[in-house]
Amino acid sequence: MDKNTPISSFSKWISPIHFEKVFEQAENLRLDDYTKKLTTKAYIKILLFAQLHETDSLEAMSDALLDDDFQKALGFDSISASQLSRKNNEVAPSILASIFLDLVGQIRGFHKKQPNASMPLKVIDSSTLPLNLTNFKWAAFRKTKAGAKLHLKLVFMDKYTVYPEQVVITPAKEHDRNQLEVLVDDKEAMYVFDRGYVDYERFDRMTDEGYFFASRLKKNAVIREVHSFSLPSESAVLSDKMVNIGSTQNRAENVFRLVEVEDTKGNILRLITNRFDLSADEISDIYRSRWAIELFFKWLKQHVEIKHFYGMSETALQNQIYIALITYCLHVLIQLETKSNKSLLRINRWLKAALWKPAYLWLSRFDNQTVP
């Protein structure tokens, strides 16, 4: 490409990826030793293109190379579905995981620049991806079902900035509680999770080690009130107490705070936390932020391709999930770079419409600003 030719929107979008690191990792693993066309870098570009367009098969990816602009971006004019399949099973998921974590670090860097940034909320939850038992026997978890589970930690900075920070991919039979210790690692954050993660022993350990959390108690949880706090007259909270939780056989050693609130359907939610420095209404608002991870999983399932998998091996599945997360992070980075309040869906649509056009034409759409 001539040095005076403006870069395409696609090239701008993927520019946060440090491909020199990818080259080093591929070289160490000897992934591209006998490869003429489909290098690890080209494979990543093809899969990112496929995620943008929600391409549902390797054959469709192969057909996409009929586009002259796509050929120029890759440096070759054709690739077969079988070659893509082999590469999909050869590339180590650790390479894509390192790209994902590097992008997360770049996103985090934007928040460090913000003065007086508040303690981030980190929401933990999981989502099961159903799989065909015949093709994915390694992911069996019932007699007639198979599935993979995405255990995720999501950072909620504000309603405009939400991003995945850490992911663990397991077969669906893995219990959520087993991943809590892996995903909780930051004492400068407030963790939020649902009742599927309730574990009194772990609550004690988190409290003793200085981690903050808010969760929802199960309906049958045994509670003994220690003290009742008064509530402001305008509070939407029903009650605010200091309690002991657990039965004689399974009791937490620390005292916790129990805040009872009513949800939109009129159900009573019992929220447990080890934060006594916040108001009861603040605890309620913090727990309500948990909806962000539900919206995130919904976005993934609707706007990238993780419903149809390109390969049946555990490696192929993990690679596709990491590429989907990388796609999301690249959208967040362009949103932060342009200081835009446009939705990620709008950013995604504009990118697809201007994919091979000069990047400045794509960027000029953000908040109607003219980009030089």
Side-chain angles (χ1 to χ4, degrees):
M1 181 182 291
D2 187 276
K3 65 180 181 180
N4 295 318
T5 303
I7 68 168
S8 68
S9 300
F10 181 75
S11 295
K12 170 62 181 174
W13 179 61
I14 67 172
S15 62
I17 299 176
H18 295 136
F19 279 111
E20 64 276 6
K21 292 182 181 178
V22 173
F23 176 79
E24 290 174 8
Q25 289 175 300
E27 196 170 50
N28 290 337
L29 295 171
R30 305 191 69 178
L31 288 175
D32 299 334
D33 278 7
Y34 304 102
T35 302
K36 292 181 179 179
K37 293 194 295 188
L38 192 57
T39 62
T40 303
K41 180 179 179 179
Y43 161 80
I44 291 170
K45 285 184 177 182
I46 291 175
L47 259 68
L48 286 171
F49 176 91
Q51 286 296 332
L52 274 181
H53 292 84
E54 298 175 61
T55 306
D56 62 3
S57 69
L58 297 177
E59 288 78 9
M61 282 187 223
S62 176
D63 292 343
L65 264 82
L66 291 171
D67 186 297
D68 291 341
D69 292 310
F70 196 20
Q71 293 174 12
K72 290 175 185 175
L74 295 174
F76 50 85
D77 58 11
S78 65
I79 201 74
S80 69
S82 60
Q83 287 172 299
L84 286 167
S85 178
R86 282 196 297 274
K87 198 71 175 182
N88 205 25
N89 287 295
E90 289 172 359
V91 172
S94 60
I95 292 179
L96 300 181
S98 66
I99 293 174
F100 165 64
L101 292 175
D102 185 67
L103 295 177
V104 167
Q106 292 181 52
I107 294 171
R108 195 184 294 123
F110 275 90
H111 299 299
K112 288 180 179 177
K113 298 173 186 175
Q114 296 178 359
N116 304 317
S118 58
M119 176 182 283
L121 297 181
K122 298 191 176 184
V123 187
I124 294 173
D125 205 348
S126 68
S127 182
T128 299
L129 305 174
L131 301 170
N132 184 300
L133 181 60
T134 303
N135 296 330
F136 295 88
K137 288 186 170 59
W138 58 268
F141 73 102
R142 288 179 188 157
K143 285 185 178 179
T144 59
K145 292 186 177 181
K149 189 176 279 190
L150 195 60
H151 305 268
L152 193 87
K153 177 166 62 180
L154 189 81
V155 179
F156 180 91
M157 296 303 298
D158 55 56
K159 64 180 180 179
Y160 297 113
T161 310
V162 174
Y163 63 91
E165 185 181 60
Q166 189 177 356
V167 62
V168 179
I169 304 166
T170 69
K173 63 183 178 182
E174 181 76 21
H175 199 285
D176 291 347
R177 284 201 305 266
N178 298 339
Q179 300 304 322
L180 197 59
E181 209 135 297
V182 177
L183 297 172
V184 173
D185 59 2
D186 182 3
K187 295 180 181 178
E188 300 299 321
M190 176 73 174
Y191 288 93
V192 185
F193 41 83
D194 205 5
R195 56 189 174 183
Y197 292 89
V198 168
D199 184 322
Y200 298 159
E201 182 181 342
R202 195 160 280 133
F203 284 1
D204 272 331
R205 194 155 59 247
M206 288 175 67
T207 302
D208 293 341
E209 293 174 359
Y211 294 101
F212 297 114
F213 71 89
S215 183
R216 182 179 165 195
L217 273 185
K218 295 180 180 179
K219 291 181 180 180
N220 62 353
V222 178
I223 297 168
R224 184 170 63 85
E225 182 180 328
V226 175
H227 178 73
S228 181
F229 301 106
S230 60
L231 291 165
S233 58
E234 70 277 7
S235 175
V237 171
L238 302 177
S239 68
D240 183 13
K241 303 171 184 177
M242 180 188 294
V243 299
N244 290 121
I245 55 174
S247 62
T248 306
Q249 295 78 21
N250 180 27
R251 179 179 295 170
E253 295 179 1
N254 290 283
V255 291
F256 294 96
R257 187 177 182 183
L258 182 72
V259 175
E260 290 187 319
V261 297
E262 191 174 350
D263 68 10
T264 54
K265 297 179 180 178
N267 301 312
I268 305 301
L269 305 183
R270 299 195 294 178
L271 311 180
I272 196 78
T273 182
N274 56 1
R275 292 290 294 270
F276 287 87
D277 58 320
L278 302 175
S279 73
D281 286 281
E282 285 175 317
I283 296 298
S284 176
D285 289 341
I286 283 172
Y287 185 78
R288 283 196 177 95
S289 298
R290 206 191 70 79
W291 61 266
I293 201 162
E294 304 289 349
L295 292 180
F296 174 80
F297 285 134
K298 184 178 179 181
W299 195 97
L300 278 187
K301 291 174 181 178
Q302 289 183 344
H303 302 301
V304 291
E305 187 52 78
I306 56 170
K307 297 183 290 294
H308 305 95
F309 287 95
Y310 306 138
M312 293 178 284
S313 70
E314 193 167 0
T315 293
L317 180 138
Q318 289 195 20
N319 282 342
Q320 190 167 337
I321 291 173
Y322 276 119
I323 283 287
L325 294 173
I326 289 167
T327 300
Y328 185 94
C329 288
L330 289 172
H331 286 345
V332 171
L333 279 168
I334 201 71
Q335 185 186 52
L336 290 169
E337 182 184 329
T338 58
K339 299 179 181 178
S340 174
N341 62 2
K342 299 300 182 187
S343 70
L344 296 188
L345 179 57
R346 180 68 64 83
I347 290 171
N348 186 64
R349 286 173 178 165
W350 284 346
L351 175 59
K352 285 194 288 187
L355 200 61
W356 306 119
K357 293 176 181 173
Y360 69 83
L361 293 176
W362 172 45
L363 298 177
S364 66
R365 299 299 300 273
F366 288 76
D367 296 334
N368 297 318
Q369 294 174 359
T370 300
V371 179

